[in-house]
Amino acid sequence: MTVTPPTSVVGTAGHVDHGKSTLVKALTGIDPDRLREEKEREMTIDLGFAWLTLPSGRRVSMIDVPGHERFIRNMLAGVGGFDAALLVIAADEGPMPQTREHLAILDLLEIRQGIVAITKRDLVEPDWLELVMNETIELLQGTTLEGAPLIPVSAITGEGLAELIQTLDTLLATLPPHPADGKPRLAVDRVFTIAGFGTVVTGTLRDGPLSVGQEIEILPAGKRGRIRGLQRHREKVEHASPGARTAVNISGIAVEEISRGDVLTIPGWLTPTQRIDARIRLLADAPAILEQDDEVMLFIGTSETLAQLTLLDAEKLTPGDTGWVQLRLRKPVVAVRGDRFILRRPSPSATLGGGVVVDAHPPRHRRFHPATIATLELLARGEPVELVRHALAEEPRDVATLTRQLTLHEHHVADALEVLQAQGEIIALVSPTPHTPTLYLQREALEAWRSRLVALLADYHQQYPLRRGMPKEAARSQLEIAPRAFDALVATFAGMGAIVDDGDVLRLPTHAIQLTPQQEAAAQRLLAALHETPYTPPSPSTLGVDPELVNALIELGYIVRVDEDIVFPTDVMQEIEQTVLTLIDANNGLTLAQFRDHFNTSRKYAQAVLEYLDRKRVTRRVGDVRVRYAQPQS
């Protein structure tokens, strides 16, 4: 069996003209500057890409980012996919402003693996190199790259490159394998077209695999297509696993319909959002204080958008502060719990801080609300049992919904459900139909729903004592719950004996239609009047009979409604039905006129009865003739 070598993504960071692209070319043999303008200006403007295979066989995708402050937006579109960083500092200049900003971004994104390459080693004396290295060590203190190896190199002479490659190999071997049992996400950083092939997007694949022929969706637009081909490092593959840069050739979506910032995934599990709950941290030297409703630029994945801040637990955030916020986004983005992001001041542009998404689809929150803060802290901890318990505190959900909303793997959700059921904290609801996914709910929430439904039915019975029960849809609407959850609750409560499911209506077990003596007398008068002229019965409304009493007599089986204001005694209707079938058999059909003449009634009653028998599937109309309703063959 062929063993696929592990893959990792390593990205550069550092000040402009410190030799990032030159170093990447020296390591890989590939010039990452692909734009003509970059070659003419000898300055990286956009993201560049290269790759190499390390001595261990590990394959590395390299992302080269621009170092100039004017192109920080392009840098941010690439840095989110890093497994490890290669921070580049020129020996002849030492740390510079963009060195510090890039390092701050790596720290905010919690990129904890990295190497510092001190480039242009051949241009300085040993004493100067030592000063630069000491300054760099001091710069790294308190960041995620504190203690990272510092390796002096020269891309011109080759000095230190072998050590850098070996150190990189050793460092990447300590990384855990990329999760591959989830659903794939690829944040798009390039979109282009190839003659004869069509649309191609590239990005770093995360969370799950992709395969040729697979249906995909481009979000947030929701465009769907299919994978025509896959490439890794310009090699065609049938399957792509998470952890490396991937090129996806797509059929069914035009290149104009995709842009950097979009996300390629499989349909049905991700929903774009314009509201995010997050924990943020401002840099200690952030150039601004954040206050309620301030605008910031949000950079997440490869996307960027303006966002407005709701500060949930503070009046303002000063440099170095952390806090809970809700970000209200100008345009939709795709995010899941645990995604990290960067916040920048829109103008004048500067990095303010960053944070982590704890809820990608939150409701609006009140500020300074203790229960909201407690929920956010629970979500931030991310323990499956706690997350599942919280998610089932109000409405029933199935495993697929929990997996999607909590961004957990399905087996983590299943394990958490097993623990919570064993502890008696949650209940598996009764499935109303076969093959319906099981819904789960906290025991306390189940009791709350039962109390609400029982109280609702009790009020309905008191208001309408002559009705068999409350229509199901009316009950669901008043409870304001989704149909599938409502059906599961009804099936569960009926199984418990708390309610009775009478098909189209719900009632309490203690409820039954009971007529008062006055209503009983009125019912007898109506039945007598109907029997007096059985084939031309008077309308209940002309007799002044209460409509509720009429409905009660229908429910009790004494009368049958054939039209809006035409009712027949049940025994008379049974006689008519049997006679109609006899007449059809004797005459090979029955016309409306024949019905009218046989029963000595009017056209109005004849038509109403025959249409009623059609609806009941006793008869069916063929032209002007009624025949027996043809029953399906068994």
Side-chain angles (χ1 to χ4, degrees):
M1 183 179 68
T2 302
V3 178
T4 303
T7 57
S8 301
V9 176
V10 176
T12 63
H15 196 75
V16 63
D17 200 32
H18 275 206
K20 295 185 295 299
S21 300
T22 303
L23 179 59
V24 169
K25 185 175 181 180
L27 291 171
T28 67
I30 300 168
D31 185 357
D33 286 341
R34 52 191 169 80
L35 304 177
R36 185 177 66 181
E37 185 182 358
E38 292 177 316
K39 297 183 185 299
E40 291 174 351
R41 298 171 61 177
E42 295 185 350
M43 181 175 69
T44 301
I45 295 171
D46 202 355
L47 300 175
F49 310 101
W51 56 90
L52 77 158
T53 301
L54 297 174
S56 65
R58 179 182 291 270
R59 305 188 71 180
V60 176
S61 300
M62 297 205 72
I63 301 177
D64 185 37
V65 306
H68 198 286
E69 62 179 341
R70 294 207 323 260
F71 307 116
I72 190 71
R73 293 165 61 184
N74 292 339
M75 180 270 184
L76 289 166
V79 71
F82 291 6
D83 292 316
L86 184 59
L87 181 62
V88 176
I89 300 174
D92 59 340
E93 289 191 331
M96 297 290 283
Q98 287 308 109
T99 310
R100 290 175 168 80
E101 184 168 23
H102 282 206
L103 177 61
I105 289 169
L106 296 174
D107 184 60
L108 290 167
L109 294 175
E110 292 199 355
I111 296 170
R112 298 188 173 279
Q113 302 292 339
I115 298 173
V116 181
I118 308 296
T119 57
K120 306 185 182 183
R121 165 70 183 86
D122 54 306
L123 299 182
V124 300
E125 297 297 326
D127 290 349
W128 182 263
L129 177 62
E130 185 178 354
L131 286 174
V132 170
M133 292 183 70
N134 287 335
E135 186 180 0
T136 301
I137 291 171
E138 184 178 344
L139 176 68
L140 298 179
Q141 288 180 359
T143 74
T144 53
L145 295 187
E146 182 176 355
L150 274 63
I151 302 175
V153 299
S154 169
I156 304 302
T157 67
E159 181 182 356
L161 293 184
E163 181 185 356
L164 176 58
I165 288 174
Q166 187 57 58
T167 304
L168 184 61
D169 206 355
T170 301
L171 176 74
L172 296 179
T174 66
L175 296 178
H178 288 279
D181 55 350
K183 295 179 173 62
R185 286 193 293 157
L186 184 144
V188 175
D189 53 37
R190 288 184 67 205
V191 188
F192 52 94
T193 185
I194 298 177
F197 291 91
T199 304
V200 177
V201 303
T202 67
T204 300
L205 182 58
R206 302 173 59 183
D207 298 338
L210 291 173
S211 300
V212 173
Q214 191 171 18
E215 185 182 11
I216 57 93
E217 183 175 26
I218 298 292
L219 297 173
K223 301 288 183 181
R224 294 198 180 188
R226 198 165 293 277
I227 297 177
R228 185 176 180 180
L230 293 167
Q231 282 193 8
R232 283 285 177 86
H233 305 159
R234 293 188 180 172
E235 295 178 359
K236 290 184 178 181
V237 293
E238 291 294 312
H239 307 281
S241 299
R245 292 199 43 81
T246 304
V248 187
N249 181 202
I250 303 169
S251 64
I253 308 178
V255 69
E256 298 82 11
E257 297 179 291
I258 311 175
S259 59
R260 175 179 284 182
D262 289 345
V263 171
L264 182 152
T265 185
I266 57 175
W269 79 284
L270 279 178
T271 304
T273 183
Q274 287 189 258
R275 194 183 301 140
I276 287 172
D277 284 347
R279 183 73 168 171
I280 68 169
R281 171 170 66 91
L282 296 192
L283 295 173
D285 58 353
I289 293 172
L290 290 182
E291 298 183 341
Q292 174 66 11
D293 290 330
D294 276 353
E295 277 197 333
V296 294
M297 287 297 301
L298 168 73
F299 294 83
I300 185 166
T302 57
S303 70
E304 59 178 280
T305 182
L306 274 172
Q308 201 166 19
L309 286 171
T310 297
L311 302 181
L312 297 175
D313 63 346
E315 291 291 352
K316 61 183 179 180
L317 294 176
T318 59
D321 283 350
T322 60
W324 290 109
V325 301
Q326 184 165 94
L327 294 160
R328 292 163 279 148
L329 313 184
R330 180 72 60 85
K331 66 178 185 181
V333 302
V334 178
V336 300
R337 187 178 55 82
D339 284 354
R340 304 201 71 86
F341 58 83
I342 297 296
L343 297 177
R344 303 193 86 231
R345 185 173 59 188
S347 181
S349 182
T351 299
L352 298 170
V356 60
V357 176
V358 296
D359 191 346
H361 297 278
R364 290 187 180 274
H365 298 311
R366 284 187 290 153
R367 300 180 66 196
F368 306 106
H369 186 231
T372 297
I373 303 305
T375 296
L376 293 174
E377 289 173 348
L378 183 152
L379 292 172
R381 289 195 295 271
E383 296 175 10
V385 170
E386 287 193 33
L387 292 175
V388 171
R389 179 190 291 116
H390 177 263
L392 298 177
E394 294 182 359
E395 288 196 11
R397 290 176 169 86
D398 60 21
V399 171
T401 303
L402 291 168
T403 300
R404 182 176 65 252
Q405 292 182 345
L406 301 177
T407 324
L408 294 172
H409 293 304
E410 191 169 306
H411 69 271
H412 288 150
V413 171
D415 291 346
L417 288 171
E418 185 176 347
V419 169
L420 292 169
Q421 282 184 284
Q423 294 173 348
E425 293 188 53
I426 65 169
I427 299 291
L429 304 186
V430 175
S431 296
T433 58
H435 313 300
T436 302
T438 301
L439 296 175
Y440 299 87
L441 187 64
Q442 274 196 27
R443 187 180 293 274
E444 291 181 4
L446 183 70
E447 177 57 28
W449 281 111
R450 187 198 65 80
S451 297
R452 287 180 62 190
L453 181 55
V454 167
L456 185 65
L457 295 180
D459 288 345
Y460 191 87
H461 294 330
Q462 184 174 6
Q463 187 175 0
Y464 302 105
L466 295 182
R467 296 186 185 180
R468 180 166 53 96
M470 185 176 190
K472 281 185 176 178
E473 183 54 31
R476 189 195 70 78
S477 178
Q478 290 201 37
L479 291 175
E480 297 180 334
I481 189 170
R484 192 159 67 92
F486 176 76
D487 291 344
L489 288 173
V490 166
T492 302
F493 296 145
M496 294 165 53
I499 64 171
V500 176
D501 183 350
D502 265 351
D504 57 334
V505 300
L506 302 176
R507 63 178 175 85
L508 296 178
T510 55
H511 174 72
I513 297 174
Q514 292 183 336
L515 304 183
T516 64
Q518 294 84 355
Q519 291 167 339
E520 184 69 44
Q524 292 301 326
R525 288 194 296 272
L526 172 62
L527 289 171
L530 295 176
H531 279 99
E532 188 173 339
T533 55
Y535 307 125
T536 56
S539 299
S541 59
T542 62
L543 299 175
V545 181
D546 181 359
E548 287 292 314
L549 178 58
V550 175
N551 288 331
L553 294 176
I554 294 171
E555 295 281 9
L556 292 170
Y558 292 113
I559 60 177
V560 175
R561 188 192 303 277
V562 300
D563 203 357
E564 185 175 354
D565 203 26
I566 299 176
V567 298
F568 283 82
T570 300
D571 56 344
V572 172
M573 195 66 237
Q574 290 171 345
E575 176 211 332
I576 292 173
E577 182 177 323
Q578 191 56 52
T579 302
V580 164
L581 292 176
T582 301
L583 292 171
I584 288 173
D585 293 342
N587 302 290
N588 293 320
L590 180 69
T591 65
L592 186 147
Q594 288 172 328
F595 179 99
R596 181 196 61 203
D597 294 343
H598 181 86
F599 289 101
N600 192 26
T601 187
S602 70
R603 179 179 179 85
K604 179 181 83 168
Y605 288 102
Q607 183 171 333
V609 170
L610 289 175
E611 289 178 354
Y612 166 77
L613 294 176
D614 290 344
R615 293 194 301 273
K616 193 180 174 185
R617 295 188 173 184
V618 173
T619 60
R620 64 185 177 91
R621 182 175 177 176
V622 180
D624 292 331
V625 178
R626 256 57 179 208
V627 297
R628 280 181 177 265
Y629 183 83
Q631 298 295 330
Q633 296 295 319
S634 58

